[in-house]
Amino acid sequence: MCVGVPAKVIEKYEYTALVDVMGSQMEVGTLFVPEVELEQFVVIHAGQAMTIIDEQFAKESIEEWRKLLDETNP
């Protein structure tokens, strides 16, 4: 099973982007979504932005990730 994490694009370069993942920043590849723009949300997996998602879905997903993390790190 593969798990993708929602992230917000905060800087964009030619083939990569700097994204924010629940407060942590990392650089990811954008070969699968070259049309991504600043402030858009993407799902990342294995260091690659896989698809662009809408903001509402991203925020709902982030909330579920936070709940899961809170439960595993009391």
Side-chain angles (χ1 to χ4, degrees):
M1 175 174 78
C2 297
V3 178
V5 179
K8 185 176 185 175
V9 176
I10 55 178
E11 291 182 25
K12 185 174 184 241
Y13 311 110
E14 189 170 2
Y15 300 109
T16 62
L18 183 65
V19 297
D20 181 279
V21 181
M22 297 189 308
S24 296
Q25 294 181 359
M26 64 186 298
E27 194 166 323
V28 298
T30 56
L31 292 176
F32 298 119
V33 289
E35 71 279 12
V36 71
E37 297 178 10
L38 291 176
E39 303 296 314
Q40 285 186 313
F41 286 85
V42 293
V43 171
I44 58 171
H45 172 71
Q48 294 293 318
M50 304 302 286
T51 188
I52 299 169
I53 58 175
D54 69 61
E55 185 174 354
Q56 183 62 32
F57 179 75
K59 288 182 177 182
E60 290 171 3
S61 296
I62 290 167
E63 182 60 31
E64 292 303 315
W65 275 103
R66 287 193 193 283
K67 288 179 188 177
L68 180 64
L69 292 171
D70 288 345
E71 290 178 12
T72 58
N73 297 311

